[in-house]
PDB file of all heavy atoms in Angstrom:
ATOM      1  N   LYS A1653    -120.577 125.062 -86.944  1.00  0.00           N
ATOM      2  CA  LYS A1653    -121.202 124.152 -87.908  1.00  0.00           C
ATOM      3  C   LYS A1653    -120.461 124.115 -89.244  1.00  0.00           C
ATOM      4  O   LYS A1653    -120.701 123.222 -90.059  1.00  0.00           O
ATOM      5  CB  LYS A1653    -122.651 124.581 -88.191  1.00  0.00           C
ATOM      6  CG  LYS A1653    -123.625 124.413 -87.051  1.00  0.00           C
ATOM      7  CD  LYS A1653    -125.009 124.797 -87.536  1.00  0.00           C
ATOM      8  CE  LYS A1653    -126.067 124.605 -86.479  1.00  0.00           C
ATOM      9  NZ  LYS A1653    -127.425 124.927 -87.005  1.00  0.00           N
ATOM     10  N   PHE A1655    -117.964 123.644 -92.233  1.00  0.00           N
ATOM     11  CA  PHE A1655    -116.821 122.904 -92.761  1.00  0.00           C
ATOM     12  C   PHE A1655    -115.777 123.923 -93.196  1.00  0.00           C
ATOM     13  O   PHE A1655    -116.064 125.107 -93.357  1.00  0.00           O
ATOM     14  CB  PHE A1655    -117.291 122.035 -93.921  1.00  0.00           C
ATOM     15  CG  PHE A1655    -116.259 121.083 -94.455  1.00  0.00           C
ATOM     16  CD1 PHE A1655    -115.479 120.315 -93.599  1.00  0.00           C
ATOM     17  CD2 PHE A1655    -116.077 120.945 -95.822  1.00  0.00           C
ATOM     18  CE1 PHE A1655    -114.543 119.431 -94.099  1.00  0.00           C
ATOM     19  CE2 PHE A1655    -115.143 120.068 -96.329  1.00  0.00           C
ATOM     20  CZ  PHE A1655    -114.367 119.318 -95.463  1.00  0.00           C
ATOM     21  N   PHE A1660    -113.890 122.773 -98.685  1.00  0.00           N
ATOM     22  CA  PHE A1660    -114.826 123.077 -99.764  1.00  0.00           C
ATOM     23  C   PHE A1660    -114.082 123.326-101.081  1.00  0.00           C
ATOM     24  O   PHE A1660    -114.578 122.974-102.156  1.00  0.00           O
ATOM     25  CB  PHE A1660    -115.693 124.280 -99.405  1.00  0.00           C
ATOM     26  CG  PHE A1660    -116.895 123.937 -98.564  1.00  0.00           C
ATOM     27  CD1 PHE A1660    -117.102 124.548 -97.332  1.00  0.00           C
ATOM     28  CD2 PHE A1660    -117.827 123.005 -99.006  1.00  0.00           C
ATOM     29  CE1 PHE A1660    -118.210 124.240 -96.553  1.00  0.00           C
ATOM     30  CE2 PHE A1660    -118.944 122.685 -98.232  1.00  0.00           C
ATOM     31  CZ  PHE A1660    -119.127 123.302 -97.002  1.00  0.00           C
ATOM     32  N   LEU A1663    -113.220 119.936-102.477  1.00  0.00           N
ATOM     33  CA  LEU A1663    -114.433 119.326-103.026  1.00  0.00           C
ATOM     34  C   LEU A1663    -114.792 119.950-104.364  1.00  0.00           C
ATOM     35  O   LEU A1663    -115.110 119.226-105.333  1.00  0.00           O
ATOM     36  CB  LEU A1663    -115.580 119.496-102.034  1.00  0.00           C
ATOM     37  CG  LEU A1663    -116.951 118.988-102.489  1.00  0.00           C
ATOM     38  CD1 LEU A1663    -116.907 117.504-102.806  1.00  0.00           C
ATOM     39  CD2 LEU A1663    -118.005 119.286-101.408  1.00  0.00           C
ATOM     40  N   ILE A1715    -124.904 121.296-101.933  1.00  0.00           N
ATOM     41  CA  ILE A1715    -124.003 120.813-100.892  1.00  0.00           C
ATOM     42  C   ILE A1715    -123.901 121.918 -99.851  1.00  0.00           C
ATOM     43  O   ILE A1715    -123.636 123.070-100.200  1.00  0.00           O
ATOM     44  CB  ILE A1715    -122.617 120.469-101.458  1.00  0.00           C
ATOM     45  CG1 ILE A1715    -122.738 119.393-102.545  1.00  0.00           C
ATOM     46  CG2 ILE A1715    -121.678 120.005-100.341  1.00  0.00           C
ATOM     47  CD1 ILE A1715    -121.457 119.150-103.317  1.00  0.00           C
ATOM     48  N   SER A1716    -124.125 121.585 -98.586  1.00  0.00           N
ATOM     49  CA  SER A1716    -124.144 122.632 -97.573  1.00  0.00           C
ATOM     50  C   SER A1716    -123.737 122.081 -96.221  1.00  0.00           C
ATOM     51  O   SER A1716    -123.683 120.864 -96.010  1.00  0.00           O
ATOM     52  CB  SER A1716    -125.543 123.241 -97.464  1.00  0.00           C
ATOM     53  OG  SER A1716    -126.453 122.303 -96.892  1.00  0.00           O
ATOM     54  N   ASN A1717    -123.439 123.005 -95.310  1.00  0.00           N
ATOM     55  CA  ASN A1717    -123.396 122.650 -93.905  1.00  0.00           C
ATOM     56  C   ASN A1717    -124.844 122.430 -93.459  1.00  0.00           C
ATOM     57  O   ASN A1717    -125.782 122.473 -94.258  1.00  0.00           O
ATOM     58  CB  ASN A1717    -122.776 123.798 -93.098  1.00  0.00           C
ATOM     59  CG  ASN A1717    -121.383 124.167 -93.550  1.00  0.00           C
ATOM     60  OD1 ASN A1717    -120.452 123.404 -93.377  1.00  0.00           O
ATOM     61  ND2 ASN A1717    -121.243 125.348 -94.138  1.00  0.00           N
ATOM     62  N   ASP A1718    -125.028 122.207 -92.173  1.00  0.00           N
ATOM     63  CA  ASP A1718    -126.368 122.149 -91.601  1.00  0.00           C
ATOM     64  C   ASP A1718    -126.939 123.561 -91.636  1.00  0.00           C
ATOM     65  O   ASP A1718    -126.719 124.354 -90.735  1.00  0.00           O
ATOM     66  CB  ASP A1718    -126.270 121.610 -90.166  1.00  0.00           C
ATOM     67  CG  ASP A1718    -127.574 121.716 -89.393  1.00  0.00           C
ATOM     68  OD1 ASP A1718    -128.624 121.878 -90.025  1.00  0.00           O
ATOM     69  OD2 ASP A1718    -127.520 121.643 -88.152  1.00  0.00           O
ATOM     70  N   PHE A1733    -126.535 117.199-100.158  1.00  0.00           N
ATOM     71  CA  PHE A1733    -125.524 116.596 -99.301  1.00  0.00           C
ATOM     72  C   PHE A1733    -125.297 117.555 -98.140  1.00  0.00           C
ATOM     73  O   PHE A1733    -125.002 118.743 -98.358  1.00  0.00           O
ATOM     74  CB  PHE A1733    -124.218 116.373-100.059  1.00  0.00           C
ATOM     75  CG  PHE A1733    -124.315 115.347-101.155  1.00  0.00           C
ATOM     76  CD1 PHE A1733    -124.708 115.712-102.436  1.00  0.00           C
ATOM     77  CD2 PHE A1733    -124.014 114.007-100.900  1.00  0.00           C
ATOM     78  CE1 PHE A1733    -124.811 114.768-103.446  1.00  0.00           C
ATOM     79  CE2 PHE A1733    -124.109 113.062-101.908  1.00  0.00           C
ATOM     80  CZ  PHE A1733    -124.502 113.436-103.179  1.00  0.00           C
ATOM     81  N   THR A1734    -125.440 117.073 -96.923  1.00  0.00           N
ATOM     82  CA  THR A1734    -125.299 117.907 -95.736  1.00  0.00           C
ATOM     83  C   THR A1734    -124.055 117.493 -94.971  1.00  0.00           C
ATOM     84  O   THR A1734    -123.952 116.352 -94.502  1.00  0.00           O
ATOM     85  CB  THR A1734    -126.528 117.766 -94.829  1.00  0.00           C
ATOM     86  OG1 THR A1734    -127.709 118.094 -95.575  1.00  0.00           O
ATOM     87  CG2 THR A1734    -126.418 118.687 -93.625  1.00  0.00           C
ATOM     88  N   ILE A1735    -123.093 118.403 -94.858  1.00  0.00           N
ATOM     89  CA  ILE A1735    -121.857 118.139 -94.123  1.00  0.00           C
ATOM     90  C   ILE A1735    -122.042 118.588 -92.682  1.00  0.00           C
ATOM     91  O   ILE A1735    -122.368 119.750 -92.418  1.00  0.00           O
ATOM     92  CB  ILE A1735    -120.667 118.869 -94.775  1.00  0.00           C
ATOM     93  CG1 ILE A1735    -120.435 118.338 -96.188  1.00  0.00           C
ATOM     94  CG2 ILE A1735    -119.403 118.711 -93.937  1.00  0.00           C
ATOM     95  CD1 ILE A1735    -119.353 119.074 -96.963  1.00  0.00           C
ATOM     96  N   THR A1736    -121.840 117.679 -91.753  1.00  0.00           N
ATOM     97  CA  THR A1736    -122.075 117.979 -90.341  1.00  0.00           C
ATOM     98  C   THR A1736    -121.231 117.064 -89.479  1.00  0.00           C
ATOM     99  O   THR A1736    -120.824 115.977 -89.915  1.00  0.00           O
ATOM    100  CB  THR A1736    -123.562 117.792 -89.982  1.00  0.00           C
ATOM    101  OG1 THR A1736    -123.760 118.063 -88.592  1.00  0.00           O
ATOM    102  CG2 THR A1736    -124.030 116.384 -90.270  1.00  0.00           C
ATOM    103  N   ARG A1737    -120.982 117.475 -88.250  1.00  0.00           N
ATOM    104  CA  ARG A1737    -120.292 116.585 -87.314  1.00  0.00           C
ATOM    105  C   ARG A1737    -121.284 115.694 -86.579  1.00  0.00           C
ATOM    106  O   ARG A1737    -120.890 114.811 -85.817  1.00  0.00           O
ATOM    107  CB  ARG A1737    -119.485 117.407 -86.312  1.00  0.00           C
ATOM    108  CG  ARG A1737    -120.302 118.151 -85.279  1.00  0.00           C
ATOM    109  CD  ARG A1737    -119.415 118.905 -84.309  1.00  0.00           C
ATOM    110  NE  ARG A1737    -120.164 119.486 -83.210  1.00  0.00           N
ATOM    111  CZ  ARG A1737    -119.638 120.226 -82.241  1.00  0.00           C
ATOM    112  NH1 ARG A1737    -118.343 120.497 -82.272  1.00  0.00           N
ATOM    113  NH2 ARG A1737    -120.368 120.709 -81.269  1.00  0.00           N
ATOM    114  N   CYS A1753    -128.268 113.074 -98.441  1.00  0.00           N
ATOM    115  CA  CYS A1753    -127.235 112.249 -97.830  1.00  0.00           C
ATOM    116  C   CYS A1753    -126.490 113.098 -96.806  1.00  0.00           C
ATOM    117  O   CYS A1753    -126.055 114.206 -97.119  1.00  0.00           O
ATOM    118  CB  CYS A1753    -126.263 111.730 -98.902  1.00  0.00           C
ATOM    119  SG  CYS A1753    -124.948 110.686 -98.247  1.00  0.00           S
ATOM    120  N   VAL A1754    -126.377 112.595 -95.582  1.00  0.00           N
ATOM    121  CA  VAL A1754    -125.645 113.289 -94.536  1.00  0.00           C
ATOM    122  C   VAL A1754    -124.201 112.775 -94.530  1.00  0.00           C
ATOM    123  O   VAL A1754    -123.966 111.566 -94.459  1.00  0.00           O
ATOM    124  CB  VAL A1754    -126.292 113.071 -93.156  1.00  0.00           C
ATOM    125  CG1 VAL A1754    -125.433 113.679 -92.052  1.00  0.00           C
ATOM    126  CG2 VAL A1754    -127.689 113.684 -93.135  1.00  0.00           C
ATOM    127  N   ILE A1755    -123.252 113.694 -94.630  1.00  0.00           N
ATOM    128  CA  ILE A1755    -121.834 113.353 -94.632  1.00  0.00           C
ATOM    129  C   ILE A1755    -121.244 113.796 -93.296  1.00  0.00           C
ATOM    130  O   ILE A1755    -121.122 115.005 -93.036  1.00  0.00           O
ATOM    131  CB  ILE A1755    -121.088 114.039 -95.795  1.00  0.00           C
ATOM    132  CG1 ILE A1755    -121.804 113.771 -97.128  1.00  0.00           C
ATOM    133  CG2 ILE A1755    -119.635 113.602 -95.846  1.00  0.00           C
ATOM    134  CD1 ILE A1755    -121.816 112.330 -97.561  1.00  0.00           C
ATOM    135  N   ASN A1756    -120.900 112.828 -92.452  1.00  0.00           N
ATOM    136  CA  ASN A1756    -120.315 113.174 -91.161  1.00  0.00           C
ATOM    137  C   ASN A1756    -118.915 112.573 -91.042  1.00  0.00           C
ATOM    138  O   ASN A1756    -118.512 111.741 -91.852  1.00  0.00           O
ATOM    139  CB  ASN A1756    -121.235 112.748 -90.012  1.00  0.00           C
ATOM    140  CG  ASN A1756    -121.495 111.262 -89.985  1.00  0.00           C
ATOM    141  OD1 ASN A1756    -121.037 110.528 -90.854  1.00  0.00           O
ATOM    142  ND2 ASN A1756    -122.230 110.803 -89.005  1.00  0.00           N
ATOM    143  N   TRP A1769    -113.200 117.726 -86.030  1.00  0.00           N
ATOM    144  CA  TRP A1769    -113.964 116.857 -86.931  1.00  0.00           C
ATOM    145  C   TRP A1769    -113.753 117.154 -88.407  1.00  0.00           C
ATOM    146  O   TRP A1769    -113.872 116.272 -89.254  1.00  0.00           O
ATOM    147  CB  TRP A1769    -115.458 116.972 -86.613  1.00  0.00           C
ATOM    148  CG  TRP A1769    -116.050 118.346 -86.779  1.00  0.00           C
ATOM    149  CD1 TRP A1769    -116.046 119.346 -85.860  1.00  0.00           C
ATOM    150  CD2 TRP A1769    -116.719 118.882 -87.942  1.00  0.00           C
ATOM    151  NE1 TRP A1769    -116.672 120.466 -86.346  1.00  0.00           N
ATOM    152  CE2 TRP A1769    -117.101 120.215 -87.630  1.00  0.00           C
ATOM    153  CE3 TRP A1769    -117.042 118.369 -89.193  1.00  0.00           C
ATOM    154  CZ2 TRP A1769    -117.778 121.023 -88.534  1.00  0.00           C
ATOM    155  CZ3 TRP A1769    -117.723 119.173 -90.098  1.00  0.00           C
ATOM    156  CH2 TRP A1769    -118.086 120.479 -89.766  1.00  0.00           C
ATOM    157  N   ILE A1773    -113.877 114.506 -92.626  1.00  0.00           N
ATOM    158  CA  ILE A1773    -115.063 114.420 -93.487  1.00  0.00           C
ATOM    159  C   ILE A1773    -114.686 113.684 -94.776  1.00  0.00           C
ATOM    160  O   ILE A1773    -113.780 114.115 -95.503  1.00  0.00           O
ATOM    161  CB  ILE A1773    -115.613 115.822 -93.827  1.00  0.00           C
ATOM    162  CG1 ILE A1773    -116.215 116.471 -92.575  1.00  0.00           C
ATOM    163  CG2 ILE A1773    -116.650 115.755 -94.951  1.00  0.00           C
ATOM    164  CD1 ILE A1773    -117.483 115.811 -92.064  1.00  0.00           C
ATOM    165  N   LEU A1775    -114.970 113.413 -98.127  1.00  0.00           N
ATOM    166  CA  LEU A1775    -115.492 114.099 -99.311  1.00  0.00           C
ATOM    167  C   LEU A1775    -115.665 113.157-100.494  1.00  0.00           C
ATOM    168  O   LEU A1775    -116.494 113.400-101.386  1.00  0.00           O
ATOM    169  CB  LEU A1775    -114.568 115.259 -99.692  1.00  0.00           C
ATOM    170  CG  LEU A1775    -114.477 116.404 -98.664  1.00  0.00           C
ATOM    171  CD1 LEU A1775    -113.474 117.445 -99.131  1.00  0.00           C
ATOM    172  CD2 LEU A1775    -115.833 117.037 -98.424  1.00  0.00           C
ATOM    173  N   ILE A1778    -119.166 112.135-101.472  1.00  0.00           N
ATOM    174  CA  ILE A1778    -119.951 113.038-102.321  1.00  0.00           C
ATOM    175  C   ILE A1778    -119.534 112.882-103.779  1.00  0.00           C
ATOM    176  O   ILE A1778    -120.378 112.725-104.675  1.00  0.00           O
ATOM    177  CB  ILE A1778    -119.772 114.499-101.869  1.00  0.00           C
ATOM    178  CG1 ILE A1778    -120.217 114.675-100.410  1.00  0.00           C
ATOM    179  CG2 ILE A1778    -120.559 115.440-102.788  1.00  0.00           C
ATOM    180  CD1 ILE A1778    -119.984 116.066 -99.860  1.00  0.00           C
TER     181      ILE A1778
END
Side-chain angles (χ1 to χ4, degrees):
K1653 291 184 178 183
F1655 187 46
F1660 276 123
L1663 176 59
I1715 301 171
S1716 70
N1717 302 291
D1718 171 18
F1733 293 88
T1734 304
I1735 297 175
T1736 179
R1737 72 178 187 182
C1753 180
V1754 174
I1755 308 295
N1756 60 357
W1769 61 275
I1773 291 292
L1775 295 177
I1778 301 176

